[in-house]
Amino acid sequence: DNEFDALLLCFPASHHDRDEDCTLEQLIAHYSETEFIPNCDCNICNQKTTLSKQIAITTCPPILCVVLCRKKLDGESITSSVQFPVSGLNITGHELQYDLVGTIHHMPKKNSDTGHYTSICQSQQSQSCSWFNYNDHEVSFSNFTNKWNDKALKAHTKMATILFYVSGALQTRIRSRSAIVDLQDDTTSYSSPVNDKDGTGE
């Protein structure tokens, strides 16, 4: 058993040829697929054989960092939309569930290895469910989720590269501490977006 700080999820080979929409659960299933390794030396029969290898996630940390490895073999970026749960993520099949608290998004420059990073985080006020877009020194409200089904909007799922989840049990302990201060409370100043249809605050 090996502990992990971050879950690195690669895309199936088909995504390197064309961008296909998928879900976070599908990428986790791909991560756990059985891998067959041919021409391995067997210490028992002393012959060449094919070994099988499979990764199983049995325990998870209270704070889960999921990295979507979007780099293609040719250096370009995979822009597939990855639909990820905003709440109730369960990857072990046990009672432990995660809620999304923040994301990092990468906007790549065409024909370049560079790009621009932004972040979208949820206010940790117990009475607030607002999401905020952090773009360098600018902070603004973000239309991050669909108000009808609480799913992340597709404009964000195509650029998300890192997802930060917190277990429900840890959130309960954090919010029970009176010393916690939310930097984005109602008295904090922020810039209001002129046009936030795509949730970028620009």
Side-chain angles (χ1 to χ4, degrees):
D1 292 346
N2 295 322
E3 296 183 355
F4 64 92
D5 296 323
L7 185 60
L8 276 62
L9 300 181
C10 296
F11 288 76
S14 59
H15 289 260
H16 292 260
D17 298 325
R18 58 188 181 279
D19 295 326
E20 301 175 338
D21 293 353
C22 62
T23 66
L24 181 62
E25 290 82 358
Q26 288 174 327
L27 292 184
I28 293 175
H30 175 68
Y31 175 81
S32 303
E33 283 182 351
T34 301
E35 177 185 0
F36 295 98
I37 307 173
N39 298 322
C40 293
D41 294 321
C42 178
N43 296 329
I44 299 177
C45 64
N46 296 320
Q47 294 182 354
K48 294 288 186 179
T49 186
T50 298
L51 299 181
S52 62
K53 173 184 176 182
Q54 185 176 28
I55 298 175
I57 303 174
T58 56
T59 57
C60 296
I63 299 176
L64 177 63
C65 175
V66 180
V67 180
L68 305 179
C69 304
R70 291 185 175 272
K71 186 67 69 176
K72 291 184 178 181
L73 298 177
D74 60 5
E76 295 290 327
S77 294
I78 296 173
T79 58
S80 300
S81 170
V82 180
Q83 187 64 57
F84 45 84
V86 175
S87 60
L89 174 65
N90 186 330
I91 64 175
T92 62
H94 301 138
E95 294 182 358
L96 182 62
Q97 292 189 348
Y98 290 93
D99 294 330
L100 187 71
V101 295
T103 57
I104 293 178
H105 303 258
H106 181 238
M107 293 174 282
K109 290 184 180 180
K110 194 171 184 179
N111 300 324
S112 173
D113 291 335
T114 63
H116 182 62
Y117 286 92
T118 61
S119 179
I120 299 177
C121 300
Q122 187 179 42
S123 169
Q124 293 304 292
Q125 275 189 321
S126 59
Q127 69 271 29
S128 173
C129 294
S130 300
W131 292 86
F132 292 89
N133 181 70
Y134 296 83
N135 187 354
D136 292 336
H137 63 282
E138 297 181 356
V139 180
S140 59
F141 277 117
S142 173
N143 291 329
F144 183 66
T145 59
N146 187 318
K147 63 181 180 179
W148 303 112
N149 56 22
D150 198 36
K151 290 184 178 181
L153 298 178
K154 192 168 185 176
H156 304 304
T157 62
K158 290 177 69 67
M159 296 185 295
T161 56
I162 304 179
L163 312 173
F164 295 98
Y165 285 93
V166 175
S167 68
L170 179 60
Q171 283 185 313
T172 300
R173 292 200 299 271
I174 290 175
R175 288 172 177 170
S176 66
R177 299 177 182 175
S178 59
I180 294 297
V181 177
D182 187 353
L183 297 180
Q184 287 297 337
D185 62 16
D186 295 337
T187 62
T188 304
S189 60
Y190 50 83
S191 59
S192 298
V194 176
N195 181 0
D196 197 20
K197 290 183 179 179
D198 61 355
T200 61
E202 299 178 344

Short mmCIF file of all heavy atoms in Angstrom, two decimals, residues 107-159:
data_model
loop_
_atom_site.label_atom_id
_atom_site.label_comp_id
_atom_site.label_asym_id
_atom_site.label_seq_id
_atom_site.Cartn_x
_atom_site.Cartn_y
_atom_site.Cartn_z
N MET A 107 -5.33 27.96 -19.65
CA MET A 107 -5.71 28.40 -20.99
C MET A 107 -4.45 28.41 -21.85
O MET A 107 -3.65 29.36 -21.79
CB MET A 107 -6.35 29.79 -20.93
CG MET A 107 -7.69 29.79 -20.23
SD MET A 107 -8.38 31.45 -19.99
CE MET A 107 -7.40 32.00 -18.60
N PRO A 108 -4.21 27.34 -22.63
CA PRO A 108 -2.96 27.25 -23.40
C PRO A 108 -2.95 28.21 -24.58
O PRO A 108 -3.99 28.55 -25.15
CB PRO A 108 -2.96 25.79 -23.87
CG PRO A 108 -4.41 25.42 -23.96
CD PRO A 108 -5.09 26.17 -22.83
N LYS A 109 -1.74 28.66 -24.92
CA LYS A 109 -1.56 29.45 -26.13
C LYS A 109 -1.33 28.51 -27.30
O LYS A 109 -0.62 27.53 -27.17
CB LYS A 109 -0.37 30.40 -25.97
CG LYS A 109 -0.61 31.53 -24.99
CD LYS A 109 0.57 32.49 -24.96
CE LYS A 109 0.32 33.62 -23.99
NZ LYS A 109 1.46 34.56 -23.95
N LYS A 110 -1.96 28.81 -28.42
CA LYS A 110 -1.88 27.93 -29.58
C LYS A 110 -0.44 27.83 -30.06
O LYS A 110 0.29 28.81 -30.12
CB LYS A 110 -2.78 28.45 -30.71
CG LYS A 110 -3.01 27.43 -31.81
CD LYS A 110 -4.07 27.90 -32.78
CE LYS A 110 -4.37 26.84 -33.83
NZ LYS A 110 -5.41 27.27 -34.78
N ASN A 111 -0.05 26.59 -30.40
CA ASN A 111 1.30 26.30 -30.91
C ASN A 111 2.38 26.75 -29.93
O ASN A 111 3.44 27.23 -30.33
CB ASN A 111 1.51 26.96 -32.27
CG ASN A 111 0.53 26.49 -33.32
OD1 ASN A 111 0.15 25.31 -33.34
ND2 ASN A 111 0.10 27.39 -34.18
N SER A 112 2.09 26.59 -28.64
CA SER A 112 3.05 27.00 -27.62
C SER A 112 2.88 26.13 -26.39
O SER A 112 1.81 25.60 -26.12
CB SER A 112 2.86 28.48 -27.26
OG SER A 112 3.68 28.84 -26.17
N ASP A 113 3.96 25.96 -25.64
CA ASP A 113 3.91 25.20 -24.39
C ASP A 113 3.46 26.07 -23.22
O ASP A 113 3.32 25.57 -22.10
CB ASP A 113 5.28 24.58 -24.08
CG ASP A 113 5.65 23.48 -25.05
OD1 ASP A 113 4.72 22.87 -25.63
OD2 ASP A 113 6.85 23.24 -25.24
N THR A 114 3.29 27.36 -23.46
CA THR A 114 2.93 28.27 -22.39
C THR A 114 1.42 28.50 -22.36
O THR A 114 0.68 28.00 -23.21
CB THR A 114 3.64 29.62 -22.56
OG1 THR A 114 3.20 30.23 -23.80
CG2 THR A 114 5.14 29.42 -22.61
N GLY A 115 0.96 29.25 -21.38
CA GLY A 115 -0.46 29.56 -21.25
C GLY A 115 -0.69 30.37 -20.00
O GLY A 115 0.26 30.84 -19.35
N HIS A 116 -1.94 30.53 -19.64
CA HIS A 116 -2.32 31.35 -18.49
C HIS A 116 -3.13 30.51 -17.52
O HIS A 116 -4.02 29.76 -17.93
CB HIS A 116 -3.13 32.56 -18.94
CG HIS A 116 -3.51 33.49 -17.83
ND1 HIS A 116 -2.57 34.15 -17.07
CD2 HIS A 116 -4.73 33.84 -17.34
CE1 HIS A 116 -3.19 34.88 -16.15
NE2 HIS A 116 -4.50 34.72 -16.29
N TYR A 117 -2.82 30.63 -16.23
CA TYR A 117 -3.51 29.88 -15.20
C TYR A 117 -4.44 30.79 -14.39
O TYR A 117 -4.07 31.92 -14.06
CB TYR A 117 -2.52 29.21 -14.25
CG TYR A 117 -1.80 28.02 -14.84
CD1 TYR A 117 -0.58 28.16 -15.49
CD2 TYR A 117 -2.34 26.74 -14.74
CE1 TYR A 117 0.08 27.07 -16.03
CE2 TYR A 117 -1.69 25.64 -15.28
CZ TYR A 117 -0.48 25.81 -15.91
OH TYR A 117 0.16 24.73 -16.45
N THR A 118 -5.62 30.29 -14.11
CA THR A 118 -6.56 30.96 -13.22
C THR A 118 -7.08 29.93 -12.21
O THR A 118 -6.86 28.73 -12.37
CB THR A 118 -7.75 31.58 -13.98
OG1 THR A 118 -8.46 30.53 -14.66
CG2 THR A 118 -7.28 32.62 -14.99
N SER A 119 -7.77 30.42 -11.20
CA SER A 119 -8.32 29.52 -10.19
C SER A 119 -9.76 29.93 -9.87
O SER A 119 -10.09 31.12 -9.90
CB SER A 119 -7.47 29.56 -8.93
OG SER A 119 -8.02 28.72 -7.93
N ILE A 120 -10.59 28.96 -9.58
CA ILE A 120 -11.96 29.21 -9.13
C ILE A 120 -12.14 28.46 -7.82
O ILE A 120 -11.90 27.26 -7.74
CB ILE A 120 -13.00 28.74 -10.17
CG1 ILE A 120 -12.81 29.50 -11.48
CG2 ILE A 120 -14.42 28.92 -9.64
CD1 ILE A 120 -13.75 29.06 -12.59
N CYS A 121 -12.55 29.19 -6.77
CA CYS A 121 -12.69 28.59 -5.45
C CYS A 121 -14.04 28.97 -4.85
O CYS A 121 -14.59 30.03 -5.15
CB CYS A 121 -11.58 29.06 -4.51
SG CYS A 121 -9.92 28.63 -5.07
N GLN A 122 -14.53 28.10 -4.01
CA GLN A 122 -15.81 28.34 -3.36
C GLN A 122 -15.59 29.02 -2.02
O GLN A 122 -14.66 28.70 -1.29
CB GLN A 122 -16.57 27.03 -3.14
CG GLN A 122 -17.99 27.22 -2.61
CD GLN A 122 -18.71 25.90 -2.43
OE1 GLN A 122 -18.13 24.94 -1.93
NE2 GLN A 122 -19.96 25.83 -2.82
N SER A 123 -16.47 29.98 -1.72
CA SER A 123 -16.43 30.61 -0.41
C SER A 123 -16.67 29.56 0.66
O SER A 123 -17.54 28.71 0.54
CB SER A 123 -17.50 31.71 -0.31
OG SER A 123 -17.64 32.15 1.02
N GLN A 124 -15.88 29.62 1.73
CA GLN A 124 -16.01 28.65 2.81
C GLN A 124 -16.94 29.11 3.93
O GLN A 124 -16.99 28.50 4.99
CB GLN A 124 -14.63 28.31 3.37
CG GLN A 124 -13.76 27.56 2.38
CD GLN A 124 -14.41 26.28 1.87
OE1 GLN A 124 -14.59 25.34 2.62
NE2 GLN A 124 -14.77 26.26 0.59
N GLN A 125 -17.67 30.22 3.68
CA GLN A 125 -18.70 30.61 4.62
C GLN A 125 -19.80 29.56 4.61
O GLN A 125 -20.25 29.13 3.55
CB GLN A 125 -19.31 31.96 4.24
CG GLN A 125 -18.54 33.16 4.77
CD GLN A 125 -19.33 34.43 4.55
OE1 GLN A 125 -19.95 34.60 3.51
NE2 GLN A 125 -19.28 35.32 5.51
N SER A 126 -20.23 29.13 5.77
CA SER A 126 -21.23 28.07 5.86
C SER A 126 -22.55 28.47 5.22
O SER A 126 -23.29 27.63 4.71
CB SER A 126 -21.46 27.69 7.32
OG SER A 126 -21.89 28.81 8.07
N GLN A 127 -22.86 29.79 5.19
CA GLN A 127 -24.13 30.21 4.63
C GLN A 127 -24.01 30.64 3.17
O GLN A 127 -24.98 31.10 2.58
CB GLN A 127 -24.72 31.38 5.45
CG GLN A 127 -23.95 32.69 5.35
CD GLN A 127 -22.86 32.81 6.40
OE1 GLN A 127 -22.31 31.80 6.84
NE2 GLN A 127 -22.54 34.02 6.79
N SER A 128 -22.83 30.49 2.59
CA SER A 128 -22.61 30.94 1.22
C SER A 128 -22.17 29.78 0.34
O SER A 128 -21.44 28.91 0.76
CB SER A 128 -21.54 32.04 1.18
OG SER A 128 -21.21 32.37 -0.15
N CYS A 129 -22.65 29.79 -0.91
CA CYS A 129 -22.22 28.79 -1.88
C CYS A 129 -21.58 29.46 -3.09
O CYS A 129 -21.51 28.88 -4.17
CB CYS A 129 -23.41 27.94 -2.33
SG CYS A 129 -24.12 26.92 -1.03
N SER A 130 -21.14 30.71 -2.92
CA SER A 130 -20.61 31.48 -4.03
C SER A 130 -19.25 30.97 -4.47
O SER A 130 -18.45 30.50 -3.66
CB SER A 130 -20.50 32.97 -3.64
OG SER A 130 -21.76 33.50 -3.30
N TRP A 131 -19.01 31.10 -5.78
CA TRP A 131 -17.71 30.75 -6.35
C TRP A 131 -17.03 32.04 -6.82
O TRP A 131 -17.69 32.94 -7.32
CB TRP A 131 -17.88 29.79 -7.52
CG TRP A 131 -18.38 28.44 -7.12
CD1 TRP A 131 -19.68 28.06 -6.96
CD2 TRP A 131 -17.59 27.28 -6.80
NE1 TRP A 131 -19.75 26.75 -6.57
CE2 TRP A 131 -18.48 26.24 -6.46
CE3 TRP A 131 -16.22 27.03 -6.76
CZ2 TRP A 131 -18.05 24.97 -6.11
CZ3 TRP A 131 -15.78 25.76 -6.41
CH2 TRP A 131 -16.69 24.75 -6.09
N PHE A 132 -15.70 32.10 -6.67
CA PHE A 132 -14.95 33.28 -7.05
C PHE A 132 -13.84 32.90 -8.02
O PHE A 132 -13.21 31.84 -7.88
CB PHE A 132 -14.33 33.95 -5.81
CG PHE A 132 -15.33 34.57 -4.89
CD1 PHE A 132 -15.91 33.83 -3.88
CD2 PHE A 132 -15.72 35.89 -5.05
CE1 PHE A 132 -16.85 34.38 -3.03
CE2 PHE A 132 -16.65 36.47 -4.20
CZ PHE A 132 -17.22 35.72 -3.19
N ASN A 133 -13.65 33.76 -9.02
CA ASN A 133 -12.61 33.56 -10.02
C ASN A 133 -11.40 34.41 -9.64
O ASN A 133 -11.51 35.61 -9.40
CB ASN A 133 -13.13 33.98 -11.40
CG ASN A 133 -12.09 33.77 -12.48
OD1 ASN A 133 -11.76 32.65 -12.83
ND2 ASN A 133 -11.56 34.87 -13.02
N TYR A 134 -10.23 33.75 -9.58
CA TYR A 134 -8.98 34.43 -9.25
C TYR A 134 -8.12 34.47 -10.50
O TYR A 134 -7.66 33.44 -10.98
CB TYR A 134 -8.26 33.69 -8.13
CG TYR A 134 -9.03 33.68 -6.82
CD1 TYR A 134 -10.02 32.73 -6.59
CD2 TYR A 134 -8.76 34.62 -5.82
CE1 TYR A 134 -10.75 32.72 -5.40
CE2 TYR A 134 -9.48 34.62 -4.63
CZ TYR A 134 -10.46 33.67 -4.44
OH TYR A 134 -11.18 33.66 -3.26
N ASN A 135 -7.93 35.68 -11.03
CA ASN A 135 -7.19 35.88 -12.26
C ASN A 135 -6.11 36.93 -12.00
O ASN A 135 -6.38 38.13 -12.05
CB ASN A 135 -8.12 36.33 -13.38
CG ASN A 135 -7.43 36.39 -14.73
OD1 ASN A 135 -6.22 36.22 -14.82
ND2 ASN A 135 -8.19 36.65 -15.78
N ASP A 136 -4.91 36.46 -11.67
CA ASP A 136 -3.83 37.34 -11.23
C ASP A 136 -4.30 38.15 -10.02
O ASP A 136 -4.69 37.59 -9.03
CB ASP A 136 -3.37 38.23 -12.39
CG ASP A 136 -2.67 37.42 -13.48
OD1 ASP A 136 -2.15 36.34 -13.18
OD2 ASP A 136 -2.65 37.88 -14.64
N HIS A 137 -4.31 39.49 -10.13
CA HIS A 137 -4.70 40.32 -8.99
C HIS A 137 -6.21 40.58 -8.95
O HIS A 137 -6.69 41.21 -8.01
CB HIS A 137 -3.96 41.67 -9.06
CG HIS A 137 -4.33 42.48 -10.27
ND1 HIS A 137 -3.81 42.21 -11.52
CD2 HIS A 137 -5.18 43.53 -10.43
CE1 HIS A 137 -4.32 43.07 -12.39
NE2 HIS A 137 -5.14 43.87 -11.76
N GLU A 138 -6.96 40.09 -9.93
CA GLU A 138 -8.40 40.36 -9.99
C GLU A 138 -9.19 39.20 -9.38
O GLU A 138 -8.91 38.04 -9.65
CB GLU A 138 -8.83 40.59 -11.43
CG GLU A 138 -8.20 41.81 -12.08
CD GLU A 138 -8.68 42.01 -13.51
OE1 GLU A 138 -9.45 41.14 -14.00
OE2 GLU A 138 -8.29 43.01 -14.13
N VAL A 139 -10.17 39.54 -8.57
CA VAL A 139 -11.07 38.56 -7.97
C VAL A 139 -12.50 38.97 -8.30
O VAL A 139 -12.89 40.13 -8.10
CB VAL A 139 -10.89 38.48 -6.43
CG1 VAL A 139 -11.85 37.45 -5.84
CG2 VAL A 139 -9.46 38.14 -6.09
N SER A 140 -13.29 38.04 -8.81
CA SER A 140 -14.66 38.35 -9.21
C SER A 140 -15.56 37.14 -8.99
O SER A 140 -15.09 36.01 -8.85
CB SER A 140 -14.71 38.77 -10.69
OG SER A 140 -14.20 37.73 -11.52
N PHE A 141 -16.85 37.41 -8.95
CA PHE A 141 -17.81 36.32 -8.87
C PHE A 141 -17.70 35.46 -10.12
O PHE A 141 -17.42 35.94 -11.22
CB PHE A 141 -19.24 36.86 -8.77
CG PHE A 141 -19.66 37.24 -7.37
CD1 PHE A 141 -19.96 38.55 -7.07
CD2 PHE A 141 -19.75 36.29 -6.38
CE1 PHE A 141 -20.35 38.91 -5.79
CE2 PHE A 141 -20.13 36.62 -5.10
CZ PHE A 141 -20.44 37.94 -4.80
N SER A 142 -17.95 34.16 -9.98
CA SER A 142 -17.93 33.26 -11.12
C SER A 142 -19.22 32.45 -11.19
O SER A 142 -19.68 31.91 -10.17
CB SER A 142 -16.73 32.29 -11.02
OG SER A 142 -16.79 31.31 -12.03
N ASN A 143 -19.79 32.38 -12.38
CA ASN A 143 -20.90 31.46 -12.64
C ASN A 143 -20.27 30.10 -12.93
O ASN A 143 -20.09 29.72 -14.07
CB ASN A 143 -21.73 31.93 -13.83
CG ASN A 143 -22.50 33.20 -13.52
OD1 ASN A 143 -22.88 33.44 -12.38
ND2 ASN A 143 -22.69 34.04 -14.53
N PHE A 144 -19.96 29.39 -11.88
CA PHE A 144 -19.20 28.15 -12.01
C PHE A 144 -20.10 26.95 -12.25
O PHE A 144 -19.75 26.03 -12.99
CB PHE A 144 -18.34 27.93 -10.76
CG PHE A 144 -17.47 26.72 -10.83
CD1 PHE A 144 -16.43 26.63 -11.74
CD2 PHE A 144 -17.68 25.66 -9.96
CE1 PHE A 144 -15.62 25.51 -11.79
CE2 PHE A 144 -16.88 24.53 -10.00
CZ PHE A 144 -15.84 24.46 -10.93
N THR A 145 -21.26 26.93 -11.62
CA THR A 145 -22.14 25.78 -11.72
C THR A 145 -23.47 26.14 -12.37
O THR A 145 -23.90 27.29 -12.36
CB THR A 145 -22.42 25.18 -10.33
OG1 THR A 145 -23.02 26.18 -9.50
CG2 THR A 145 -21.13 24.69 -9.68
N ASN A 146 -24.12 25.13 -12.92
CA ASN A 146 -25.47 25.27 -13.45
C ASN A 146 -26.44 25.33 -12.27
O ASN A 146 -26.45 24.44 -11.43
CB ASN A 146 -25.79 24.08 -14.36
CG ASN A 146 -27.11 24.22 -15.08
OD1 ASN A 146 -28.11 24.65 -14.49
ND2 ASN A 146 -27.13 23.86 -16.34
N LYS A 147 -27.24 26.38 -12.22
CA LYS A 147 -28.12 26.56 -11.06
C LYS A 147 -29.21 25.50 -11.00
O LYS A 147 -29.85 25.32 -9.96
CB LYS A 147 -28.76 27.94 -11.09
CG LYS A 147 -29.66 28.19 -12.29
CD LYS A 147 -30.23 29.60 -12.25
CE LYS A 147 -31.13 29.87 -13.45
NZ LYS A 147 -31.71 31.25 -13.40
N TRP A 148 -29.42 24.75 -12.09
CA TRP A 148 -30.49 23.74 -12.10
C TRP A 148 -30.02 22.40 -11.58
O TRP A 148 -30.78 21.67 -10.95
CB TRP A 148 -31.06 23.59 -13.52
CG TRP A 148 -31.57 24.88 -14.09
CD1 TRP A 148 -31.04 25.57 -15.14
CD2 TRP A 148 -32.69 25.64 -13.64
NE1 TRP A 148 -31.74 26.71 -15.38
CE2 TRP A 148 -32.79 26.78 -14.48
CE3 TRP A 148 -33.63 25.48 -12.63
CZ2 TRP A 148 -33.77 27.74 -14.32
CZ3 TRP A 148 -34.62 26.44 -12.47
CH2 TRP A 148 -34.69 27.55 -13.30
N ASN A 149 -28.76 22.03 -11.85
CA ASN A 149 -28.30 20.70 -11.44
C ASN A 149 -26.98 20.71 -10.68
O ASN A 149 -26.43 19.67 -10.37
CB ASN A 149 -28.17 19.79 -12.66
CG ASN A 149 -27.25 20.37 -13.72
OD1 ASN A 149 -26.40 21.21 -13.45
ND2 ASN A 149 -27.41 19.91 -14.96
N ASP A 150 -26.45 21.89 -10.36
CA ASP A 150 -25.23 22.03 -9.57
C ASP A 150 -24.04 21.35 -10.21
O ASP A 150 -23.14 20.86 -9.54
CB ASP A 150 -25.45 21.49 -8.14
CG ASP A 150 -24.39 22.00 -7.17
OD1 ASP A 150 -23.97 23.16 -7.31
OD2 ASP A 150 -23.97 21.24 -6.28
N LYS A 151 -24.02 21.30 -11.55
CA LYS A 151 -22.87 20.76 -12.27
C LYS A 151 -22.01 21.91 -12.79
O LYS A 151 -22.51 22.99 -13.09
CB LYS A 151 -23.32 19.87 -13.44
CG LYS A 151 -23.94 18.55 -13.02
CD LYS A 151 -24.26 17.71 -14.24
CE LYS A 151 -24.84 16.35 -13.84
NZ LYS A 151 -25.14 15.52 -15.04
N ALA A 152 -20.72 21.68 -12.89
CA ALA A 152 -19.81 22.69 -13.40
C ALA A 152 -20.12 22.97 -14.87
O ALA A 152 -20.39 22.04 -15.65
CB ALA A 152 -18.37 22.24 -13.24
N LEU A 153 -20.11 24.25 -15.26
CA LEU A 153 -20.39 24.61 -16.64
C LEU A 153 -19.28 24.10 -17.56
O LEU A 153 -18.11 24.02 -17.17
CB LEU A 153 -20.52 26.13 -16.76
CG LEU A 153 -21.66 26.78 -15.97
CD1 LEU A 153 -21.64 28.29 -16.15
CD2 LEU A 153 -23.01 26.22 -16.40
N LYS A 154 -19.66 23.79 -18.80
CA LYS A 154 -18.71 23.16 -19.74
C LYS A 154 -17.52 24.06 -20.04
O LYS A 154 -16.42 23.59 -20.30
CB LYS A 154 -19.44 22.78 -21.03
CG LYS A 154 -18.62 21.87 -21.93
CD LYS A 154 -19.47 21.28 -23.04
CE LYS A 154 -18.66 20.28 -23.86
NZ LYS A 154 -19.47 19.62 -24.90
N ALA A 155 -17.73 25.38 -20.00
CA ALA A 155 -16.62 26.30 -20.25
C ALA A 155 -15.48 26.08 -19.26
O ALA A 155 -14.31 26.30 -19.58
CB ALA A 155 -17.11 27.74 -20.17
N HIS A 156 -15.81 25.61 -18.07
CA HIS A 156 -14.80 25.36 -17.04
C HIS A 156 -14.26 23.94 -17.12
O HIS A 156 -13.09 23.70 -16.82
CB HIS A 156 -15.38 25.63 -15.66
CG HIS A 156 -15.95 26.99 -15.49
ND1 HIS A 156 -15.21 28.14 -15.72
CD2 HIS A 156 -17.19 27.42 -15.14
CE1 HIS A 156 -15.97 29.21 -15.50
NE2 HIS A 156 -17.17 28.78 -15.15
N THR A 157 -15.09 22.99 -17.50
CA THR A 157 -14.65 21.59 -17.52
C THR A 157 -13.68 21.31 -18.66
O THR A 157 -12.97 20.30 -18.64
CB THR A 157 -15.86 20.64 -17.64
OG1 THR A 157 -16.55 20.88 -18.88
CG2 THR A 157 -16.83 20.85 -16.49
N LYS A 158 -13.61 22.20 -19.67
CA LYS A 158 -12.68 22.00 -20.78
C LYS A 158 -11.27 22.48 -20.44
O LYS A 158 -10.31 22.12 -21.12
CB LYS A 158 -13.19 22.73 -22.03
CG LYS A 158 -14.44 22.11 -22.65
CD LYS A 158 -14.93 22.92 -23.83
CE LYS A 158 -13.98 22.84 -25.00
NZ LYS A 158 -13.93 21.49 -25.60
N MET A 159 -11.14 23.34 -19.41
CA MET A 159 -9.83 23.90 -19.08
C MET A 159 -9.33 23.49 -17.70
O MET A 159 -8.21 23.82 -17.33
CB MET A 159 -9.89 25.43 -19.16
CG MET A 159 -10.17 25.97 -20.56
SD MET A 159 -10.08 27.78 -20.63
CE MET A 159 -11.47 28.23 -19.58
#
